[in-house]
Amino acid sequence: MTVTTKGSTPGTPDNPWGDTKTNTPSNGVNLGPTQRPRPVFPEPVPPTVHGPARVVAMVNQKGGVGKTTTTINLGAALVECGLKVLLVDFDPQGALSVGLGINPLQLDLTVYNLLMERNVTAEDVLLETGVEGLDLLPSNIDLSAAEVQLVTEVAREQVLGRVIKPLLPHYDVCLIDCQPSLGLLTINALTCAHGVMVPLECEFFALRGVALLMDTISKVQERLNEELEIEGLLATMYDARTLHGREVLARVVEAFGDKVFHTVINRTVRFPDATVAGEPITTFDPSSLGANAYRELAREVLSRWPAPATMAR
């Protein structure tokens, strides 16, 4: 039976998912939005030594599903856990850079220069953000030319991994925000990654391309990167008030089981507000439902990773 949650404020520690509705079976087990028992994720212990970084690619060939929002806010939440995080804007639209208050059109050096020019190093491109411990390799529209130019390169699928390798010993986590396609840039990200996270909007059309994405990931695992793992599928833009949203989430859990994160990111206007402000929601509105959801996601992903949380390639 579906009932309204009582005695619990959305976004607080006792209700980090911000549910407006939940199912409470007769046995008293409290179920989350994914209709599985809610786990309690431990508070992570900040590392005493940083690096080398675990590389995670945010991938979905459909646009507008929350890849950039998740990259920014998960990165910021991991920083709150004491980790050093590197963000890589690997989308020619430069949305990740914009979301951190950087104007891509004013950049002299970007990831494109890092990929295509041998005299440019990762340190030349690296930018500090407004969040201590959170750094960025920015991008702009120039990156769109790289996909064509890389076709003639030797080991073209491994270029990104080669150029960011010198930075990885200095960070605990590297999150790569991929463009909404399964082209050569995305293949580069998958080839150098330890894991892939799939943000998935709770909407019917978002489900249609998941099979193709999983097929691509499988081919990369077989041919280019046998260490690649699926970190999980993250339900985003969830609205528990709509039957459609609940049905889509149920279908995702039915199809992928434990690969679906328990944490669900609810739809809220605070995310676009934070983007306009050019900062993560964890600093823009620290007590908001969205900020607490990403903190919960950070604890969940850290609980899934091997101990220690980072992994060398």
Side-chain angles (χ1 to χ4, degrees), residues 282-304:
T282 52
T283 59
F284 176 75
D285 192 352
S287 62
S288 66
L289 180 156
N292 281 291
Y294 275 108
R295 292 186 183 108
E296 185 71 10
L297 178 63
R299 289 191 289 269
E300 182 170 2
V301 296
L302 289 173
S303 72
R304 291 188 177 207

Side-chain angles (χ1 to χ4, degrees), residues 25-301:
S26 57
N27 60 8
V29 176
N30 190 14
L31 302 181
T34 64
Q35 300 306 301
R36 294 172 292 176
R38 293 182 183 276
V40 177
F41 303 111
E43 286 292 333
V45 178
T48 55
V49 179
H50 297 289
R54 181 178 181 88
V55 182
V56 178
M58 296 285 178
V59 179
N60 193 323
Q61 75 271 28
K62 185 179 185 302
V65 298
K67 292 189 297 294
T68 301
T69 298
T70 296
T71 304
I72 293 173
N73 295 303
L74 175 58
L78 289 170
V79 167
E80 289 187 350
C81 296
L83 279 68
K84 292 191 66 176
V85 179
L86 172 65
L87 304 183
V88 179
D89 190 346
F90 216 47
D91 184 348
Q93 298 179 71
L96 181 64
S97 303
V98 172
L100 288 168
I102 296 166
N103 185 347
L105 300 179
Q106 296 178 351
L107 296 171
D108 295 325
L109 294 174
T110 66
V111 169
Y112 169 79
N113 304 98
L114 184 59
L115 294 175
M116 307 308 303
E117 300 175 19
R118 292 186 178 274
N119 62 330
V120 175
T121 66
E123 289 79 5
D124 296 331
V125 180
L126 189 67
L127 298 176
E128 294 182 351
T129 70
V131 179
E132 186 177 355
L134 186 69
D135 295 336
L136 170 70
L137 291 177
S139 173
N140 61 20
I141 194 62
D142 293 344
L143 186 60
S144 59
E147 193 145 24
V148 177
Q149 295 172 348
L150 285 173
V151 170
T152 59
E153 291 286 324
V154 176
R156 59 190 180 185
E157 299 92 351
Q158 300 170 359
V159 177
L160 177 63
R162 174 176 56 81
V163 297
I164 68 171
K165 186 176 182 180
L167 292 178
L168 300 185
H170 307 291
Y171 295 90
D172 300 304
V173 181
C174 173
L175 301 179
I176 306 174
D177 183 29
C178 298
Q179 65 176 347
S181 81
L182 296 179
L184 186 54
L185 293 180
T186 300
I187 298 301
N188 259 265
L190 293 174
T191 301
C192 72
H194 299 106
V196 53
M197 186 179 296
V198 184
L200 185 69
E201 182 184 6
C202 292
E203 191 265 340
F204 172 74
F205 288 109
L207 290 174
R208 299 184 63 190
V210 175
L212 177 60
L213 173 59
M214 292 302 170
D215 183 57
T216 300
I217 293 172
S218 178
K219 289 179 179 178
V220 172
Q221 289 171 322
E222 294 173 3
R223 304 174 187 179
L224 296 168
N225 182 5
E226 63 182 14
E227 298 179 18
L228 182 65
E229 300 175 349
I230 297 176
E231 301 279 353
L233 288 83
L234 174 67
T236 63
M237 305 180 191
Y238 178 66
D239 189 343
R241 298 170 299 179
T242 67
L243 176 62
H244 180 71
R246 298 196 299 273
E247 288 179 342
V248 169
L249 182 54
R251 289 183 60 181
V252 172
V253 174
E254 181 182 359
F256 297 100
D258 290 339
K259 287 295 183 183
V260 182
F261 287 107
H262 289 273
T263 307
V264 170
I265 309 300
N266 287 264
R267 188 183 298 274
T268 169
V269 297
R270 301 306 280 167
F271 288 127
D273 289 345
T275 300
V276 172
E279 59 181 300
I281 197 168
T282 52
T283 59
F284 176 75
D285 192 352
S287 62
S288 66
L289 180 156
N292 281 291
Y294 275 108
R295 292 186 183 108
E296 185 71 10
L297 178 63
R299 289 191 289 269
E300 182 170 2
V301 296

